[in-house]
Every structure is written in structure tokens, then in C-alpha cells.
Amino acid sequence: MIPVLKWTSTLFILFGIFLTNLNIYPANILIHGVGAVGWTIAGFKMKEKAIVVNFGLQLPLFVIGYGNLVFH
């Protein structure tokens, strides 16, 4: 289960980065955000603090981006 979550999340993150490079907004933050959530969950399940810190700290940034979509 965890390897599938990790690979799927990685693909979401890479595709989100690709969309950012193409300047395709807001799909880039939506897709990258899904990958960050997946990696945060995987980090919790694996008890890997570095992964949780890395991707967990990205989540508030994505929430700000989502708020920008809704309120602007």
C-alpha cells in the first residue's frame, strides 16, 4: 500500500511541477497539493519525520494558494 501511495504521490508532484513550468494555473497547485498530501500520509505511516516535515510544511502553502483561488 505504501509503495503505491509513494509512487502515485511522486507522479502527482512531478506533474504539478510540469504544469507550473507551463504556467498552467490553478491545475498546478491542485495536482501538486494532492501529491504533497499523499507523501505526508506516507511519511506518517512510515514514521519518517523528515518526510512529514518536508511535505507537511508544504500543505499550508497550498491552502494559501487554494484560498487565493476562492477569494480572488
PDB file of all heavy atoms in Angstrom, residues 5-6 9 13 33-49 51-60 62:
ATOM      1  N   LEU A   5       1.246   4.365  -2.785  1.00  0.00           N
ATOM      2  CA  LEU A   5       0.970   5.747  -2.374  1.00  0.00           C
ATOM      3  C   LEU A   5       2.159   6.652  -2.692  1.00  0.00           C
ATOM      4  O   LEU A   5       1.996   7.763  -3.209  1.00  0.00           O
ATOM      5  CB  LEU A   5       0.639   5.795  -0.875  1.00  0.00           C
ATOM      6  CG  LEU A   5       0.371   7.173  -0.276  1.00  0.00           C
ATOM      7  CD1 LEU A   5      -0.840   7.827  -0.935  1.00  0.00           C
ATOM      8  CD2 LEU A   5       0.165   7.055   1.225  1.00  0.00           C
ATOM      9  N   LYS A   6       3.366   6.165  -2.398  1.00  0.00           N
ATOM     10  CA  LYS A   6       4.561   6.964  -2.655  1.00  0.00           C
ATOM     11  C   LYS A   6       4.755   7.224  -4.144  1.00  0.00           C
ATOM     12  O   LYS A   6       5.036   8.354  -4.548  1.00  0.00           O
ATOM     13  CB  LYS A   6       5.785   6.268  -2.062  1.00  0.00           C
ATOM     14  CG  LYS A   6       5.830   6.334  -0.552  1.00  0.00           C
ATOM     15  CD  LYS A   6       6.838   5.429   0.126  1.00  0.00           C
ATOM     16  CE  LYS A   6       8.144   5.249  -0.518  1.00  0.00           C
ATOM     17  NZ  LYS A   6       9.071   4.404   0.258  1.00  0.00           N
ATOM     18  N   SER A   9       1.946   9.541  -5.472  1.00  0.00           N
ATOM     19  CA  SER A   9       2.166  10.905  -4.994  1.00  0.00           C
ATOM     20  C   SER A   9       3.323  11.566  -5.730  1.00  0.00           C
ATOM     21  O   SER A   9       3.261  12.755  -6.063  1.00  0.00           O
ATOM     22  CB  SER A   9       2.440  10.902  -3.488  1.00  0.00           C
ATOM     23  OG  SER A   9       1.326  10.382  -2.795  1.00  0.00           O
ATOM     24  N   ILE A  13       3.213  15.001  -7.905  1.00  0.00           N
ATOM     25  CA  ILE A  13       4.124  16.124  -7.665  1.00  0.00           C
ATOM     26  C   ILE A  13       4.866  16.497  -8.942  1.00  0.00           C
ATOM     27  O   ILE A  13       4.969  17.674  -9.300  1.00  0.00           O
ATOM     28  CB  ILE A  13       5.095  15.797  -6.519  1.00  0.00           C
ATOM     29  CG1 ILE A  13       4.332  15.845  -5.203  1.00  0.00           C
ATOM     30  CG2 ILE A  13       6.278  16.771  -6.489  1.00  0.00           C
ATOM     31  CD1 ILE A  13       5.101  15.386  -3.999  1.00  0.00           C
ATOM     32  N   GLY A  33      -0.583  19.653  -4.840  1.00  0.00           N
ATOM     33  CA  GLY A  33      -1.100  19.541  -3.476  1.00  0.00           C
ATOM     34  C   GLY A  33      -1.554  18.138  -3.134  1.00  0.00           C
ATOM     35  O   GLY A  33      -1.338  17.656  -2.017  1.00  0.00           O
ATOM     36  N   VAL A  34      -2.174  17.458  -4.103  1.00  0.00           N
ATOM     37  CA  VAL A  34      -2.594  16.071  -3.884  1.00  0.00           C
ATOM     38  C   VAL A  34      -1.367  15.197  -3.613  1.00  0.00           C
ATOM     39  O   VAL A  34      -1.377  14.345  -2.716  1.00  0.00           O
ATOM     40  CB  VAL A  34      -3.393  15.543  -5.099  1.00  0.00           C
ATOM     41  CG1 VAL A  34      -3.615  14.048  -5.002  1.00  0.00           C
ATOM     42  CG2 VAL A  34      -4.724  16.267  -5.205  1.00  0.00           C
ATOM     43  N   GLY A  35      -0.302  15.422  -4.372  1.00  0.00           N
ATOM     44  CA  GLY A  35       0.929  14.664  -4.151  1.00  0.00           C
ATOM     45  C   GLY A  35       1.545  14.939  -2.796  1.00  0.00           C
ATOM     46  O   GLY A  35       2.043  14.026  -2.127  1.00  0.00           O
ATOM     47  N   ALA A  36       1.511  16.179  -2.363  1.00  0.00           N
ATOM     48  CA  ALA A  36       2.067  16.531  -1.049  1.00  0.00           C
ATOM     49  C   ALA A  36       1.263  15.887   0.078  1.00  0.00           C
ATOM     50  O   ALA A  36       1.839  15.411   1.059  1.00  0.00           O
ATOM     51  CB  ALA A  36       2.104  18.046  -0.879  1.00  0.00           C
ATOM     52  N   VAL A  37      -0.053  15.842  -0.070  1.00  0.00           N
ATOM     53  CA  VAL A  37      -0.888  15.168   0.935  1.00  0.00           C
ATOM     54  C   VAL A  37      -0.542  13.688   0.979  1.00  0.00           C
ATOM     55  O   VAL A  37      -0.395  13.091   2.060  1.00  0.00           O
ATOM     56  CB  VAL A  37      -2.397  15.374   0.637  1.00  0.00           C
ATOM     57  CG1 VAL A  37      -3.252  14.453   1.487  1.00  0.00           C
ATOM     58  CG2 VAL A  37      -2.792  16.822   0.866  1.00  0.00           C
ATOM     59  N   GLY A  38      -0.399  13.070  -0.193  1.00  0.00           N
ATOM     60  CA  GLY A  38      -0.053  11.652  -0.247  1.00  0.00           C
ATOM     61  C   GLY A  38       1.270  11.353   0.423  1.00  0.00           C
ATOM     62  O   GLY A  38       1.400  10.396   1.196  1.00  0.00           O
ATOM     63  N   TRP A  39       2.282  12.184   0.160  1.00  0.00           N
ATOM     64  CA  TRP A  39       3.588  11.965   0.777  1.00  0.00           C
ATOM     65  C   TRP A  39       3.538  12.227   2.281  1.00  0.00           C
ATOM     66  O   TRP A  39       4.250  11.580   3.050  1.00  0.00           O
ATOM     67  CB  TRP A  39       4.655  12.826   0.120  1.00  0.00           C
ATOM     68  CG  TRP A  39       5.387  12.067  -0.940  1.00  0.00           C
ATOM     69  CD1 TRP A  39       5.279  12.217  -2.275  1.00  0.00           C
ATOM     70  CD2 TRP A  39       6.338  11.024  -0.730  1.00  0.00           C
ATOM     71  NE1 TRP A  39       6.097  11.331  -2.925  1.00  0.00           N
ATOM     72  CE2 TRP A  39       6.770  10.587  -1.992  1.00  0.00           C
ATOM     73  CE3 TRP A  39       6.878  10.414   0.397  1.00  0.00           C
ATOM     74  CZ2 TRP A  39       7.707   9.568  -2.156  1.00  0.00           C
ATOM     75  CZ3 TRP A  39       7.807   9.405   0.225  1.00  0.00           C
ATOM     76  CH2 TRP A  39       8.209   8.995  -1.037  1.00  0.00           C
ATOM     77  N   THR A  40       2.725  13.171   2.718  1.00  0.00           N
ATOM     78  CA  THR A  40       2.588  13.419   4.158  1.00  0.00           C
ATOM     79  C   THR A  40       1.984  12.194   4.840  1.00  0.00           C
ATOM     80  O   THR A  40       2.462  11.765   5.905  1.00  0.00           O
ATOM     81  CB  THR A  40       1.724  14.666   4.422  1.00  0.00           C
ATOM     82  OG1 THR A  40       2.307  15.786   3.749  1.00  0.00           O
ATOM     83  CG2 THR A  40       1.611  14.968   5.897  1.00  0.00           C
ATOM     84  N   ILE A  41       0.963  11.622   4.228  1.00  0.00           N
ATOM     85  CA  ILE A  41       0.347  10.406   4.777  1.00  0.00           C
ATOM     86  C   ILE A  41       1.361   9.267   4.801  1.00  0.00           C
ATOM     87  O   ILE A  41       1.480   8.544   5.808  1.00  0.00           O
ATOM     88  CB  ILE A  41      -0.906  10.031   3.962  1.00  0.00           C
ATOM     89  CG1 ILE A  41      -2.004  11.069   4.176  1.00  0.00           C
ATOM     90  CG2 ILE A  41      -1.409   8.630   4.348  1.00  0.00           C
ATOM     91  CD1 ILE A  41      -3.166  10.944   3.204  1.00  0.00           C
ATOM     92  N   ALA A  42       2.105   9.097   3.711  1.00  0.00           N
ATOM     93  CA  ALA A  42       3.122   8.041   3.659  1.00  0.00           C
ATOM     94  C   ALA A  42       4.179   8.266   4.734  1.00  0.00           C
ATOM     95  O   ALA A  42       4.634   7.306   5.379  1.00  0.00           O
ATOM     96  CB  ALA A  42       3.765   7.999   2.277  1.00  0.00           C
ATOM     97  N   GLY A  43       4.582   9.503   4.942  1.00  0.00           N
ATOM     98  CA  GLY A  43       5.572   9.809   5.978  1.00  0.00           C
ATOM     99  C   GLY A  43       5.084   9.447   7.365  1.00  0.00           C
ATOM    100  O   GLY A  43       5.832   8.902   8.190  1.00  0.00           O
ATOM    101  N   PHE A  44       3.807   9.733   7.649  1.00  0.00           N
ATOM    102  CA  PHE A  44       3.237   9.348   8.945  1.00  0.00           C
ATOM    103  C   PHE A  44       3.239   7.837   9.098  1.00  0.00           C
ATOM    104  O   PHE A  44       3.607   7.308  10.144  1.00  0.00           O
ATOM    105  CB  PHE A  44       1.800   9.870   9.090  1.00  0.00           C
ATOM    106  CG  PHE A  44       1.704  11.260   9.643  1.00  0.00           C
ATOM    107  CD1 PHE A  44       1.183  12.283   8.879  1.00  0.00           C
ATOM    108  CD2 PHE A  44       2.120  11.547  10.933  1.00  0.00           C
ATOM    109  CE1 PHE A  44       1.085  13.565   9.377  1.00  0.00           C
ATOM    110  CE2 PHE A  44       2.028  12.835  11.454  1.00  0.00           C
ATOM    111  CZ  PHE A  44       1.501  13.842  10.665  1.00  0.00           C
ATOM    112  N   LYS A  45       2.810   7.132   8.047  1.00  0.00           N
ATOM    113  CA  LYS A  45       2.733   5.669   8.134  1.00  0.00           C
ATOM    114  C   LYS A  45       4.105   5.030   8.286  1.00  0.00           C
ATOM    115  O   LYS A  45       4.243   4.006   8.951  1.00  0.00           O
ATOM    116  CB  LYS A  45       2.025   5.107   6.905  1.00  0.00           C
ATOM    117  CG  LYS A  45       0.545   5.400   6.885  1.00  0.00           C
ATOM    118  CD  LYS A  45      -0.135   4.727   5.723  1.00  0.00           C
ATOM    119  CE  LYS A  45      -1.622   4.972   5.822  1.00  0.00           C
ATOM    120  NZ  LYS A  45      -2.383   3.884   5.238  1.00  0.00           N
ATOM    121  N   MET A  46       5.133   5.628   7.673  1.00  0.00           N
ATOM    122  CA  MET A  46       6.488   5.084   7.757  1.00  0.00           C
ATOM    123  C   MET A  46       7.245   5.620   8.975  1.00  0.00           C
ATOM    124  O   MET A  46       8.368   5.215   9.224  1.00  0.00           O
ATOM    125  CB  MET A  46       7.283   5.432   6.490  1.00  0.00           C
ATOM    126  CG  MET A  46       6.737   4.817   5.241  1.00  0.00           C
ATOM    127  SD  MET A  46       7.745   5.170   3.784  1.00  0.00           S
ATOM    128  CE  MET A  46       7.902   6.949   3.831  1.00  0.00           C
ATOM    129  N   LYS A  47       6.618   6.554   9.703  1.00  0.00           N
ATOM    130  CA  LYS A  47       7.251   7.207  10.857  1.00  0.00           C
ATOM    131  C   LYS A  47       8.556   7.896  10.456  1.00  0.00           C
ATOM    132  O   LYS A  47       9.561   7.835  11.170  1.00  0.00           O
ATOM    133  CB  LYS A  47       7.465   6.207  11.986  1.00  0.00           C
ATOM    134  CG  LYS A  47       6.176   5.656  12.556  1.00  0.00           C
ATOM    135  CD  LYS A  47       6.448   4.655  13.637  1.00  0.00           C
ATOM    136  CE  LYS A  47       5.252   4.148  14.345  1.00  0.00           C
ATOM    137  NZ  LYS A  47       4.157   3.614  13.679  1.00  0.00           N
ATOM    138  N   GLU A  48       8.530   8.549   9.300  1.00  0.00           N
ATOM    139  CA  GLU A  48       9.684   9.300   8.786  1.00  0.00           C
ATOM    140  C   GLU A  48       9.453  10.794   9.017  1.00  0.00           C
ATOM    141  O   GLU A  48       8.709  11.435   8.273  1.00  0.00           O
ATOM    142  CB  GLU A  48       9.871   9.028   7.286  1.00  0.00           C
ATOM    143  CG  GLU A  48      10.397   7.669   6.973  1.00  0.00           C
ATOM    144  CD  GLU A  48      11.877   7.544   7.262  1.00  0.00           C
ATOM    145  OE1 GLU A  48      12.584   8.569   7.370  1.00  0.00           O
ATOM    146  OE2 GLU A  48      12.336   6.396   7.394  1.00  0.00           O
ATOM    147  N   LYS A  49      10.078  11.316  10.044  1.00  0.00           N
ATOM    148  CA  LYS A  49       9.854  12.714  10.415  1.00  0.00           C
ATOM    149  C   LYS A  49      10.300  13.692   9.336  1.00  0.00           C
ATOM    150  O   LYS A  49       9.662  14.713   9.122  1.00  0.00           O
ATOM    151  CB  LYS A  49      10.563  13.027  11.728  1.00  0.00           C
ATOM    152  CG  LYS A  49       9.952  12.307  12.910  1.00  0.00           C
ATOM    153  CD  LYS A  49      10.703  12.600  14.186  1.00  0.00           C
ATOM    154  CE  LYS A  49      10.119  11.774  15.315  1.00  0.00           C
ATOM    155  NZ  LYS A  49      10.892  11.910  16.540  1.00  0.00           N
ATOM    156  N   ILE A  51      10.231  13.353   6.097  1.00  0.00           N
ATOM    157  CA  ILE A  51       9.229  13.421   5.028  1.00  0.00           C
ATOM    158  C   ILE A  51       8.008  14.197   5.504  1.00  0.00           C
ATOM    159  O   ILE A  51       7.463  15.031   4.767  1.00  0.00           O
ATOM    160  CB  ILE A  51       8.835  12.002   4.557  1.00  0.00           C
ATOM    161  CG1 ILE A  51      10.021  11.367   3.833  1.00  0.00           C
ATOM    162  CG2 ILE A  51       7.605  12.031   3.664  1.00  0.00           C
ATOM    163  CD1 ILE A  51       9.819   9.925   3.448  1.00  0.00           C
ATOM    164  N   VAL A  52       7.586  13.951   6.732  1.00  0.00           N
ATOM    165  CA  VAL A  52       6.430  14.663   7.273  1.00  0.00           C
ATOM    166  C   VAL A  52       6.722  16.164   7.344  1.00  0.00           C
ATOM    167  O   VAL A  52       5.871  16.982   6.981  1.00  0.00           O
ATOM    168  CB  VAL A  52       6.043  14.109   8.665  1.00  0.00           C
ATOM    169  CG1 VAL A  52       4.960  14.961   9.304  1.00  0.00           C
ATOM    170  CG2 VAL A  52       5.589  12.665   8.554  1.00  0.00           C
ATOM    171  N   VAL A  53       7.920  16.522   7.774  1.00  0.00           N
ATOM    172  CA  VAL A  53       8.274  17.945   7.859  1.00  0.00           C
ATOM    173  C   VAL A  53       8.306  18.558   6.458  1.00  0.00           C
ATOM    174  O   VAL A  53       7.737  19.630   6.225  1.00  0.00           O
ATOM    175  CB  VAL A  53       9.628  18.140   8.577  1.00  0.00           C
ATOM    176  CG1 VAL A  53      10.136  19.561   8.413  1.00  0.00           C
ATOM    177  CG2 VAL A  53       9.485  17.796  10.048  1.00  0.00           C
ATOM    178  N   ASN A  54       8.962  17.897   5.515  1.00  0.00           N
ATOM    179  CA  ASN A  54       9.095  18.433   4.165  1.00  0.00           C
ATOM    180  C   ASN A  54       7.732  18.664   3.519  1.00  0.00           C
ATOM    181  O   ASN A  54       7.416  19.773   3.092  1.00  0.00           O
ATOM    182  CB  ASN A  54       9.938  17.489   3.304  1.00  0.00           C
ATOM    183  CG  ASN A  54      10.096  17.994   1.887  1.00  0.00           C
ATOM    184  OD1 ASN A  54       9.867  19.164   1.595  1.00  0.00           O
ATOM    185  ND2 ASN A  54      10.480  17.118   0.996  1.00  0.00           N
ATOM    186  N   PHE A  55       6.942  17.619   3.449  1.00  0.00           N
ATOM    187  CA  PHE A  55       5.667  17.742   2.748  1.00  0.00           C
ATOM    188  C   PHE A  55       4.581  18.346   3.632  1.00  0.00           C
ATOM    189  O   PHE A  55       3.691  19.039   3.138  1.00  0.00           O
ATOM    190  CB  PHE A  55       5.239  16.391   2.180  1.00  0.00           C
ATOM    191  CG  PHE A  55       6.141  15.944   1.070  1.00  0.00           C
ATOM    192  CD1 PHE A  55       7.106  14.985   1.281  1.00  0.00           C
ATOM    193  CD2 PHE A  55       6.048  16.521  -0.187  1.00  0.00           C
ATOM    194  CE1 PHE A  55       7.944  14.586   0.248  1.00  0.00           C
ATOM    195  CE2 PHE A  55       6.880  16.141  -1.218  1.00  0.00           C
ATOM    196  CZ  PHE A  55       7.837  15.167  -0.989  1.00  0.00           C
ATOM    197  N   GLY A  56       4.654  18.103   4.937  1.00  0.00           N
ATOM    198  CA  GLY A  56       3.671  18.688   5.842  1.00  0.00           C
ATOM    199  C   GLY A  56       3.728  20.207   5.859  1.00  0.00           C
ATOM    200  O   GLY A  56       2.698  20.873   5.957  1.00  0.00           O
ATOM    201  N   LEU A  57       4.942  20.757   5.746  1.00  0.00           N
ATOM    202  CA  LEU A  57       5.066  22.215   5.726  1.00  0.00           C
ATOM    203  C   LEU A  57       4.632  22.809   4.385  1.00  0.00           C
ATOM    204  O   LEU A  57       4.369  24.014   4.299  1.00  0.00           O
ATOM    205  CB  LEU A  57       6.500  22.635   6.052  1.00  0.00           C
ATOM    206  CG  LEU A  57       6.931  22.388   7.496  1.00  0.00           C
ATOM    207  CD1 LEU A  57       8.390  22.761   7.685  1.00  0.00           C
ATOM    208  CD2 LEU A  57       6.048  23.150   8.467  1.00  0.00           C
ATOM    209  N   GLN A  58       4.545  21.998   3.355  1.00  0.00           N
ATOM    210  CA  GLN A  58       4.040  22.482   2.068  1.00  0.00           C
ATOM    211  C   GLN A  58       2.519  22.659   2.099  1.00  0.00           C
ATOM    212  O   GLN A  58       1.975  23.503   1.378  1.00  0.00           O
ATOM    213  CB  GLN A  58       4.400  21.514   0.941  1.00  0.00           C
ATOM    214  CG  GLN A  58       5.857  21.480   0.598  1.00  0.00           C
ATOM    215  CD  GLN A  58       6.137  20.503  -0.523  1.00  0.00           C
ATOM    216  OE1 GLN A  58       5.294  20.255  -1.385  1.00  0.00           O
ATOM    217  NE2 GLN A  58       7.334  19.936  -0.523  1.00  0.00           N
ATOM    218  N   LEU A  59       1.849  21.859   2.918  1.00  0.00           N
ATOM    219  CA  LEU A  59       0.381  21.878   2.920  1.00  0.00           C
ATOM    220  C   LEU A  59      -0.209  23.252   3.245  1.00  0.00           C
ATOM    221  O   LEU A  59      -1.143  23.683   2.558  1.00  0.00           O
ATOM    222  CB  LEU A  59      -0.155  20.799   3.863  1.00  0.00           C
ATOM    223  CG  LEU A  59       0.215  19.363   3.481  1.00  0.00           C
ATOM    224  CD1 LEU A  59      -0.387  18.373   4.469  1.00  0.00           C
ATOM    225  CD2 LEU A  59      -0.203  19.041   2.055  1.00  0.00           C
ATOM    226  N   PRO A  60       0.294  23.982   4.252  1.00  0.00           N
ATOM    227  CA  PRO A  60      -0.265  25.324   4.485  1.00  0.00           C
ATOM    228  C   PRO A  60      -0.058  26.260   3.295  1.00  0.00           C
ATOM    229  O   PRO A  60      -0.904  27.112   3.021  1.00  0.00           O
ATOM    230  CB  PRO A  60       0.490  25.840   5.711  1.00  0.00           C
ATOM    231  CG  PRO A  60       1.065  24.648   6.360  1.00  0.00           C
ATOM    232  CD  PRO A  60       1.258  23.611   5.296  1.00  0.00           C
ATOM    233  N   PHE A  62      -0.100  25.355   0.163  1.00  0.00           N
ATOM    234  CA  PHE A  62      -1.138  25.013  -0.805  1.00  0.00           C
ATOM    235  C   PHE A  62      -2.502  25.534  -0.360  1.00  0.00           C
ATOM    236  O   PHE A  62      -3.300  25.973  -1.182  1.00  0.00           O
ATOM    237  CB  PHE A  62      -1.192  23.503  -1.041  1.00  0.00           C
ATOM    238  CG  PHE A  62      -0.045  23.008  -1.871  1.00  0.00           C
ATOM    239  CD1 PHE A  62       0.898  22.162  -1.341  1.00  0.00           C
ATOM    240  CD2 PHE A  62       0.100  23.401  -3.197  1.00  0.00           C
ATOM    241  CE1 PHE A  62       1.960  21.709  -2.099  1.00  0.00           C
ATOM    242  CE2 PHE A  62       1.163  22.965  -3.963  1.00  0.00           C
ATOM    243  CZ  PHE A  62       2.091  22.115  -3.418  1.00  0.00           C
TER     244      PHE A  62
END
